[in-house]
Amino acid sequence: MKLVNALPTDNHLALILVQHLDPIHKSMMVDLLASHTSMIVRQAAEGMPLEPNHLYVIPPGTYLSVGNGALHILEPQARHGARLPFDFLLHTLAAQYGERAVCVILSGTGADGSLGLKAVKEKGGLVIAQDPDEADFDGMPRSAIMTGAVDLVLPAAKIPEALVKYDLRVALARTPHSAAPQNKTPDLLPEIVDLLRTKTGYDFTLYKPGTLHRRIARRMAMASLESADLDRYLEILRSNTGELDILAKDLLINVTKFFRDPRVFDLLAEQIIPELINRQPSDQPLRIWTVGCSTGEETYSLAMLFREAMTAAKRHIKLQIFASDVDPDAVASAREGLYPEAIATDVSSERLARFFIKEKHHYRVLSELRDLVVFTVHNVLTDPPFSRLDLVSCRNLLIYLRPQAQEKLVSLFHFALREGGILLLGGSETIGNIEGHFAVISKSARLYRHIGRSRPGEFGFLLNPGDGVGGPTRPGPAPVPTRQAGFADLCRRLVIEAYAPA
């Protein structure tokens, strides 16, 4: 009620309230809320249009989704016994409204919303959690905060002000007049990128400018700045290391989930992984590399599939999985292997029982699975790659990079893979125009097979650290390595990897 009481009149917001209601009892929430706000309060119904200054309440025992500007009612399919209506709504909200979507996690038990908020974050939306210290039940806000994807932690009475300010700034950023002055004012993006590199160690030079502008505009909106105030925001970054660190984390876009794109993982489980296992000599380990592993969900998903396939084939092959990311915090989280109980919507009950242990409102990956993976902080654009690999998974990283960086990475993956090895990319990514390197296994699943040989001239992928995408790098300019020096560095890495002790 604190939030509703603080909502201003004529706020132009469309709000949807999701509660965990008893499915067999009629809710009185509409009448209760109507007495605390000037907004129009209605119980959601199938096809009801989303309108400003309206507050919609979920009906008991249902799931809600949004599509084409309207609400849609679905009967829950209580998969694995999990009822997570907020997560369900947030995924559809993020897909439909992108940066205009806002997720607010209020008092409640469990972890509902901890997965859906990541979808909102990935699309550039805003994520707010109620201050757990004032919440009657702090489970949901604390679980949300643990994801690392929450933008603001506020008392309930302060949340409406943040909503209105954010909505206003996003609206201003989308108006034609706000975009027009770009040709009249200097582009300060290179200065911001240089500041990030020298002060945080993360180098975003090879990120697409559009991605950088959108993420910076999002942070500016949260600082109550218009898009034309880039110079003011640059001054804030120079004087406020906290905001600079937050911007860097925002740009890293650490968003993932277990078995993301289920049809792709089904194809891997049914065709690709059994083939890799059956053809592998017993005295030779299977080697996998997940690039940009974030908080580890995709890496553990692959590990589960390989363990299941090896058990089914009755083959005891050594499995080596390397997982790398440029963000040390994400790597630390992946190593810990602790995830909210909401992963039950993506991980089957059989896999939860076999590979996880329940800890209160979380699931922890068992050591059997964790011990298969070596997590490491690694910049794929500046550090030498792993080699002699059977599968490389690099999903949803290339889409954020400029074309020249994409081409470099595809060449790097070709070098790192054994002949016949598999490359897996994200749903919006391709290998580009590098002919003679990969054959298409499944265009829709973005699966490719290594063919051909790497040529000596392609060892130029060891870029200058100052031209990379994510550090950590030393502040200041770095010397430009020669191709011979890069090749020598690579050779040293291969010799050490082959013969040195772990």
Side-chain angles (χ1 to χ4, degrees):
M1 291 300 178
K2 292 178 182 177
L3 189 155
V4 174
N5 285 330
L7 284 168
T9 305
D10 196 23
N11 53 55
H12 302 289
L13 300 172
L15 303 180
I16 304 171
L17 176 64
V18 175
Q19 279 192 302
H20 297 148
L21 301 169
D22 188 331
I24 61 174
H25 287 92
K26 182 179 179 180
S27 172
M28 304 296 293
M29 187 56 65
V30 171
D31 295 332
L32 289 172
L33 291 174
S35 63
H36 287 267
T37 178
S38 60
M39 298 180 74
I40 299 173
V41 184
R42 303 178 67 181
Q43 181 167 289
E46 173 61 33
M48 183 177 286
L50 282 169
E51 299 180 81
N53 297 309
H54 280 62
L55 172 56
Y56 303 92
V57 180
I58 189 172
T62 64
Y63 276 10
L64 271 179
S65 69
V66 295
N68 299 318
L71 292 164
H72 301 284
I73 305 292
L74 297 93
E75 291 298 322
Q77 298 177 357
R79 186 182 175 192
H80 320 316
R83 284 283 188 93
L84 302 167
F86 196 28
D87 273 321
F88 188 86
L89 172 66
L90 290 176
H91 279 98
T92 66
L93 197 69
Q96 285 289 313
Y97 292 100
E99 64 183 13
R100 295 162 58 197
V102 180
C103 161
V104 180
I105 308 283
L106 298 173
S107 172
T109 59
D112 194 9
S114 294
L115 295 183
L117 68 85
K118 291 185 177 183
V120 173
K121 179 83 168 188
E122 182 180 22
K123 295 296 184 180
L126 177 67
V127 181
I128 302 174
Q130 182 181 3
D131 187 344
D133 291 337
E134 76 153 20
D136 292 333
F137 302 96
D138 64 358
M140 282 177 55
R142 288 195 187 281
S143 181
I145 293 167
M146 282 182 61
T147 67
V150 172
D151 297 298
L152 299 171
V153 178
L154 298 170
K158 295 289 186 181
I159 293 175
E161 180 183 0
L163 294 176
V164 173
K165 282 185 176 181
Y166 182 78
D167 182 64
L168 176 61
R169 299 301 170 186
V170 169
L172 287 172
R174 295 170 62 89
T175 56
H177 77 270
S178 65
Q182 288 184 355
N183 59 355
K184 298 179 182 179
T185 58
D187 183 7
L188 300 178
L189 183 60
E191 292 189 45
I192 293 177
V193 170
D194 186 61
L195 185 65
L196 286 164
R197 181 178 66 84
T198 57
K199 296 298 185 181
T200 70
Y202 295 108
D203 191 344
F204 297 96
T205 305
L206 290 180
Y207 260 50
K208 290 178 180 176
T211 297
L212 296 175
H213 278 298
R214 285 192 298 272
R215 291 279 162 168
I216 291 170
R218 178 180 178 278
R219 290 302 311 170
M220 289 175 64
M222 296 176 63
S224 299
L225 295 175
E226 297 183 20
S227 58
D229 295 332
L230 197 58
D231 54 343
R232 289 179 57 194
Y233 187 61
L234 178 57
E235 290 303 314
I236 291 174
L237 293 176
R238 285 171 174 158
S239 61
N240 187 337
T241 57
E243 177 62 24
L244 194 66
D245 289 337
I246 292 173
L247 176 61
K249 292 294 184 183
D250 238 19
L251 292 173
L252 291 174
I253 316 176
N254 284 319
V255 178
T256 184
K257 62 185 290 189
F258 284 95
F259 299 101
R260 186 173 185 173
D261 301 326
R263 61 183 182 82
V264 174
F265 280 92
D266 289 343
L267 179 59
L268 288 171
E270 294 166 7
Q271 299 181 29
I272 305 302
I273 292 177
E275 175 197 327
L276 289 173
I277 289 172
N278 290 329
R279 79 180 189 192
Q280 194 75 2
S282 298
D283 60 347
Q284 185 172 296
L286 266 169
R287 292 164 60 87
I288 297 119
W289 181 19
T290 57
V291 183
C293 67
S294 187
T295 47
E297 288 91 333
E298 182 144 315
T299 302
Y300 289 126
S301 298
L302 288 171
M304 283 185 267
L305 293 187
F306 272 94
R307 288 293 296 168
E308 290 170 350
M310 290 167 68
T311 300
K314 298 181 179 179
R315 297 211 62 191
H316 302 288
I317 305 171
K318 185 177 180 181
L319 185 61
Q320 297 177 338
I321 303 177
F322 307 100
S324 65
D325 199 280
V326 74
D327 184 356
D329 293 335
V331 171
S333 178
R335 285 195 187 111
E336 187 178 11
L338 187 67
Y339 300 99
E341 63 182 351
I343 66 170
T345 60
D346 301 314
V347 183
S348 69
S349 56
E350 293 79 13
R351 285 172 176 153
L352 287 173
R354 179 175 177 183
F355 297 112
F356 296 82
I357 185 171
K358 188 73 179 293
E359 295 183 3
K360 293 185 178 180
H361 297 299
H362 294 81
Y363 285 102
R364 186 181 295 278
V365 178
L366 290 174
S367 58
E368 172 196 350
L369 207 62
R370 289 209 313 273
D371 291 348
L372 296 175
V373 186
V374 175
F375 288 101
T376 182
V377 178
H378 177 274
N379 182 351
V380 69
L381 278 170
T382 59
D383 296 332
F386 296 95
S387 63
R388 305 190 311 280
L389 300 166
D390 298 285
L391 185 146
V392 171
S393 173
C394 180
R395 306 183 72 206
N396 305 306
L397 171 61
L398 298 184
I399 56 173
Y400 300 117
L401 304 180
R402 296 173 186 255
Q404 65 267 35
Q406 295 179 11
E407 184 177 340
K408 289 288 185 181
L409 285 190
V410 173
S411 293
L412 181 148
F413 297 148
H414 184 265
F415 168 80
L417 283 163
R418 291 185 173 119
E419 185 175 354
I422 305 299
L423 174 62
L424 173 62
L425 299 179
S428 301
E429 301 167 332
T430 68
I431 58 171
N433 298 318
I434 301 181
E435 298 180 359
H437 285 62
F438 292 95
V440 177
I441 298 175
S442 171
K443 186 175 181 180
S444 61
R446 302 299 192 264
L447 272 166
Y448 306 91
R449 189 183 303 278
H450 174 287
I451 60 173
R453 294 180 178 272
S454 296
R455 295 181 288 274
E458 293 170 350
F459 289 114
F461 54 67
L462 293 176
L463 300 178
N464 175 5
D467 292 333
V469 59
T473 62
R474 289 189 178 91
V480 179
T482 64
R483 179 170 294 174
Q484 290 79 8
F487 182 65
D489 190 14
L490 175 63
C491 289
R492 281 193 293 271
R493 167 68 179 265
L494 295 179
V495 171
I496 290 172
E497 188 177 324
Y499 297 108

